[in-house]
Amino acid sequence: MSPPPVTTRPELLGTHAMVSSTHWLASQSGMAVLEAGGNAFDAAVAAGLVLHVVEPHLNGLGGDVPVIGCVAGSDQPFVLCGQGTAPASATPEAFAALGLDLIPGTGLLAAVVPGAFATWMDLLARYGTWYVADVMAYAIGYARHGHPLLAQAAATIDRVADHLERHWPTSAAVYLPGGQVPTAGERLRNEALATTLERIVVEAQAAGPRREHQIEAARAAFYEGFVAEEIDRFCAQEVMDSSGRPHRGLLTGDDLTAWRVREEPPATIDIAGCTVAKTGPWGQGPALLQQLAVLRGTDLQDTRPGSAELVHTVVENAKLAYADRDAWYGDPDHTDVPLAALLSADYARVRGDLVTPTASGTLRPGSPAGRPPRLPLRVTAEIARLRREDGHGGPGARPAAAGTGEPTFATDADLPTGADGTVRGDTCHLDVVDAAGNIVSVTPSGGWLQSSPLVGSLGMALSTRAQMFWLEPGLPNSVGPHRRPRTTLSPTLVLRDGVAVLACGTPGGDQQDQWQLPFLLNHLVFGMDLQQAIDAPTWHTTHLVSSFDPREIELLGLHAEERLGASVLQDLRRRGHRVTTTGPWSLGRLTAVGVRPDGMLRAAATPRGMQAYAVGR
């Protein structure tokens, strides 16, 4: 018998509970809740709030959060849409009047309603068992007493220090203590955020002894009370943004008051004896489902994990799915997204027939239900320019650093930096399963320290997710009042025979559903355990329209970890891919929890970046 493959960490196995997240302090905080009798949903709320504190360059209390989960004994997973909407005054005309053709990626103009906090409260109210004060205690403690600053956070602060000092003094007061850039591992406090959370707890407890009343009072304190009032005042002032000019925000307290969390059914597809569940087309999750719909018509068992044939096939399918994303996805409350047609078997066959042995150099959105696709004029003009520069259908020189979009685990030198010194944000992820079988997957994001200044005395920044809208009218993802921007946040849930058996996800912007796909194939098709599937070398294509300002395109671009091997990388180049080889452990930040067929709980986390951690027993 051959020995089992060596992995960077063991796949955790146990019977009590499992938590896996992109920060060890959040994972252990969630486990502490489970040890004290809370369920998976209580633990997710507590751990998610901790992520807002300890990963401020990746997410924040003023950010966004989609949730997908399933209650033990139910075969019906649920989605909570924690993606805040555009302000009531956010119209193409409003931005045109400011002389803008793209929404700036930083500052206040891109601010949407902060959806995270209400979503945590909604998850707690619907499915949790704990009180507000209990789940918030961990985050309050780290904000008040400090946490060790991550090396990536320190590098981000260093990159934007001059911008904070000159333009965002509220942020400088927290992230440049004593006027200095903090070092990696230094204890960092955000006492203004602690005070905000403590005041919410006080107002919650003042609502009386009933749990549901306290949760509603906490929500109201944020969206109708002192937090909304402070956001309203702060957005009325001019703040420097990535356009190079200061602008006031469009977000008001009334926008917060009018917003509510939505519970929705997920979009799903069946493959390898399982059902994969994702958010609706207000997120990019269906792009993963579209890829799986094509791949289930392929004899994957005849391919080898990490082979050039598999990578090529997956990449070419990703190009097609993401072209559809850019042509069709948007807020289904405001646009007719043909989701059923996009996920149909007939459409998958048509799209699969487009995959050839060589790499395609064009963006090819399809025509679901016979409807013609429409890409933004800015995109079609950029593609034409790239072709003119290259002369044979490929791109002009437009290199992209590893993990661009929402950069993940780039080195200090690779952090994408704008002309004003700002650095784009990333994302976090969190998965929890408990002994009863409750399971949940969450991808908190937005409210990055480098994207927007801290709001007054609140100690939190706002989400700049509106940068993902187009200003051209009439598109599925055009900006408009109360619309949800088509986000990249994409948690995943997998069910087998009606039982939820896997929750997983990763940060990474446009790459989230690309990095999850090889993981799912490794686990569901090729039989790897969770840690083996996460550790395996991965890749992604940049042959798509970046979701983030400045909306770059890198046709034929393929970024791959060098561990795929020289022969595989050479084969991919021979097929026409423009391969950028990244470090051996550079792409993806997956975490996962699950349930084995024998009922044993399992968990794993990526070693990439040396901060994600799975815990359990």
Side-chain angles (χ1 to χ4, degrees):
M1 177 181 289
S2 59
V6 175
T7 54
T8 58
R9 305 167 179 183
E11 179 191 55
L12 301 187
L13 296 172
T15 58
H16 180 67
M18 295 284 165
V19 184
S20 187
S21 85
T22 50
H23 197 293
W24 67 90
L25 292 178
S27 296
Q28 192 55 53
S29 297
M31 194 65 195
V33 172
L34 292 159
E35 295 284 16
N39 68 15
F41 308 113
D42 299 317
V45 174
L49 291 167
V50 169
L51 286 174
H52 292 333
V53 178
V54 301
E55 294 193 298
H57 59 311
L58 307 179
N59 78 135
L61 188 66
D64 333 284
V65 58
V67 177
I68 186 164
C70 195
V71 175
S74 171
D75 61 356
Q76 299 296 317
F78 64 87
V79 169
L80 296 183
C81 177
Q83 177 53 62
T85 53
S89 59
T91 63
E93 294 76 17
F95 290 97
L98 297 172
L100 297 170
D101 59 0
L102 281 178
I103 298 176
T106 69
L108 296 178
L109 270 178
V112 297
V113 173
F117 185 73
T119 306
W120 295 129
M121 293 300 99
D122 197 74
L123 181 63
L124 185 65
R126 291 176 190 261
Y127 302 110
T129 63
W130 276 29
Y131 283 74
V132 173
D134 300 322
V135 294
M136 290 177 67
Y138 304 89
I140 290 171
Y142 287 121
R144 175 69 67 196
H145 304 298
H147 57 91
L149 186 66
L150 293 169
Q152 273 259 315
T156 300
I157 294 170
D158 185 45
R159 287 294 185 94
V160 300
D162 182 62
H163 187 82
L164 301 187
E165 285 185 320
R166 289 190 292 123
H167 300 298
W168 297 353
T170 52
S171 297
V174 172
Y175 297 117
L176 298 174
Q180 301 297 315
V181 175
T183 59
E186 181 176 332
R187 181 181 289 214
L188 184 74
R189 296 175 174 85
N190 187 342
E191 297 199 46
L193 179 59
T195 298
T196 297
L197 296 173
E198 288 166 347
R199 182 171 173 184
I200 290 173
V201 168
V202 169
E203 296 200 17
Q205 292 177 327
R210 294 186 61 179
R211 195 179 75 95
E212 59 269 31
H213 291 171
Q214 291 191 13
I215 295 171
E216 170 55 24
R219 187 209 63 80
F222 194 106
Y223 292 86
E224 301 168 22
F226 77 96
V227 174
E229 292 168 0
E230 185 62 22
I231 290 173
D232 187 278
R233 284 192 294 268
F234 192 78
C235 286
Q237 63 181 299
E238 290 190 342
V239 165
M240 181 64 70
D241 58 43
S242 54
S243 72
R245 293 180 285 135
H247 293 103
R248 294 181 177 86
L250 302 177
L251 188 67
T252 69
D254 288 341
D255 293 316
L256 272 72
T257 299
W259 187 78
R260 290 293 186 275
V261 180
R262 296 268 296 273
E263 178 164 341
E264 306 172 355
T268 63
I269 199 164
D270 294 333
I271 186 171
C274 296
T275 299
V276 181
K278 302 290 285 186
T279 70
W282 50 266
Q284 73 176 3
L288 175 66
L289 303 182
Q290 285 192 244
Q291 294 174 75
L292 292 173
V294 175
L295 289 172
R296 68 183 173 186
T298 304
D299 192 356
L300 293 170
Q301 293 289 0
D302 286 347
T303 59
R304 180 174 54 83
S307 65
E309 181 64 29
L310 179 67
V311 175
H312 171 77
T313 301
V314 168
V315 165
E316 291 304 294
N317 278 305
K319 292 178 182 179
L320 296 170
Y322 276 75
D324 279 342
R325 180 201 72 172
D326 293 328
W328 292 109
Y329 290 16
D331 185 345
D333 289 346
H334 295 270
T335 189
D336 181 14
V337 182
L339 187 59
L342 287 166
L343 298 180
S344 69
D346 288 342
Y347 186 72
R349 282 191 290 272
V350 171
R351 299 297 271 167
D353 288 343
L354 296 176
V355 176
T356 68
T358 58
S360 169
T362 60
L363 258 64
R364 297 182 290 178
S367 301
R371 294 168 55 181
R374 177 182 168 188
L375 290 170
L377 293 175
R378 186 183 185 94
V379 170
T380 56
E382 176 66 0
I383 292 171
R385 184 191 71 78
L386 294 173
R387 286 180 176 172
R388 286 194 303 271
E389 288 186 0
D390 191 63
H392 63 271
R398 183 63 67 87
T404 54
E406 288 179 309
T408 297
F409 291 152
T411 65
D412 292 356
D414 289 334
L415 286 171
T417 306
D420 57 0
T422 53
V423 180
R424 292 179 232 169
D426 199 354
T427 305
C428 306
H429 189 75
L430 167 69
D431 303 299
V432 188
V433 63
D434 63 27
N438 298 305
I439 191 168
V440 62
S441 182
V442 191
T443 309
S445 186
W448 309 304
L449 73 86
Q450 64 273 28
S451 67
S452 191
L454 295 183
V455 177
S457 61
L458 298 179
M460 70 178 200
L462 296 172
S463 171
T464 54
R465 193 66 57 178
Q467 67 181 287
M468 305 179 82
F469 284 120
W470 294 103
L471 293 181
E472 179 184 340
L475 299 169
N477 194 34
S478 296
V479 71
H482 309 302
R483 289 192 175 200
R484 291 175 282 185
R486 194 273 301 149
T487 180
T488 54
L489 308 178
S490 195
T492 299
L493 199 71
V494 177
L495 296 89
R496 182 180 289 112
D497 298 326
V499 178
V501 295
L502 176 67
C504 64
T506 178
D510 294 310
Q511 285 74 56
Q512 288 183 31
D513 286 306
Q514 297 193 62
W515 291 332
Q516 290 185 74
L517 183 61
F519 163 78
L520 289 172
L521 294 180
N522 288 337
H523 181 56
L524 300 179
V525 176
F526 299 123
M528 297 184 192
D529 72 28
L530 296 183
Q531 194 64 51
Q532 292 167 357
I534 286 174
D535 283 359
T538 194
W539 62 86
H540 68 263
T541 181
T542 50
H543 183 104
L544 47 78
V545 183
S546 170
S547 297
F548 299 87
D549 179 31
R551 313 306 288 267
E552 293 175 334
I553 305 168
E554 187 189 9
L555 297 178
L556 289 170
L558 171 58
H559 294 248
E561 291 182 332
E562 63 188 44
R563 289 184 298 124
L564 279 174
S567 62
V568 170
L569 297 171
Q570 183 57 37
D571 192 340
L572 292 168
R573 291 187 176 97
R574 180 186 60 78
R575 294 167 185 257
H577 300 282
R578 300 198 172 185
V579 178
T580 298
T581 304
T582 68
W585 298 92
S586 56
L587 303 181
R589 191 143 64 103
L590 277 149
T591 71
V593 302
V595 184
R596 283 196 331 197
D598 63 358
M600 192 76 74
L601 306 181
R602 63 204 313 186
T606 184
R608 298 165 176 91
M610 297 175 63
Q611 68 183 62
Y613 233 82
V615 296
R617 69 170 180 86

